[in-house]
Amino acid sequence: TLFPYTTLFRSADPGPVPLDDAAAALVFRAVRELLMNVFKHARSRAASVTLLRRDEHVEIEVQDHGVGFDVEGTTARRSARGFGLFSVREQIGRLGGDVELRSVPGRGTRVVLRVPLIPSGAQPRHSNDGGLS
């Protein structure tokens, strides 16, 4: 096969996820970066992505059962290249969200992005910049 990796996507809530355009673009880019990290570094042939609505936020979990890594050592080094883990955390934080990162060498990695939803009745903002600065 051209791409010998499997990504399993699950959604526990099939309803709409109210995010404005900028937040949706940023979350998409963050999940793409996390999946690219699995492809480049995890040495795992599969990853799962799970989308859940919880109260007033959405949770997106990306998990693999690859080689894992030392979280402290990796997050302490800020990469000047790309949209790495540090940038994912920073950009999700700008949306009022947070990132939970757990990895165990030899057992895999789990990253959970939590992003606030648009409050009921609020109008979504539309943006062409993808919410990135």
Side-chain angles (χ1 to χ4, degrees):
T1 62
L2 181 62
F3 189 71
Y5 294 86
T6 302
T7 302
L8 173 64
F9 178 78
R10 300 182 284 236
S11 177
D13 181 355
V17 177
L19 293 173
D20 67 29
D21 290 348
L26 192 133
V27 168
F28 172 83
R29 190 169 174 192
V31 170
R32 182 180 64 192
E33 175 64 24
L34 295 172
L35 289 172
M36 288 304 297
N37 284 347
V38 172
F39 175 71
K40 291 178 187 176
H41 306 294
R43 294 188 221 144
S44 175
R45 298 193 56 81
S48 66
V49 178
T50 305
L51 174 69
L52 298 168
R53 281 183 68 163
R54 295 204 188 268
D55 301 321
E56 298 301 314
H57 66 276
V58 63
E59 286 185 3
I60 302 101
E61 174 187 274
V62 178
Q63 185 170 8
D64 69 68
H65 297 288
V67 298
F69 62 94
D70 172 22
V71 174
E72 300 280 324
T74 301
T75 55
R77 294 187 309 264
R78 293 183 188 184
S79 173
R81 300 178 303 134
F83 190 69
L85 291 173
F86 177 78
S87 291
V88 167
R89 190 177 304 255
E90 184 177 88
Q91 296 293 335
I92 294 296
R94 287 184 186 169
L95 295 175
D98 63 84
V99 177
E100 175 188 330
L101 173 62
R102 297 194 64 188
S103 188
V104 177
R107 302 195 69 200
T109 301
R110 177 179 175 261
V111 181
V112 178
L113 310 176
R114 286 183 194 83
V115 178
L117 296 171
I118 296 172
S120 297
Q123 294 297 315
R125 294 174 317 194
H126 296 282
S127 171
N128 292 328
D129 68 1
L132 304 174
S133 48

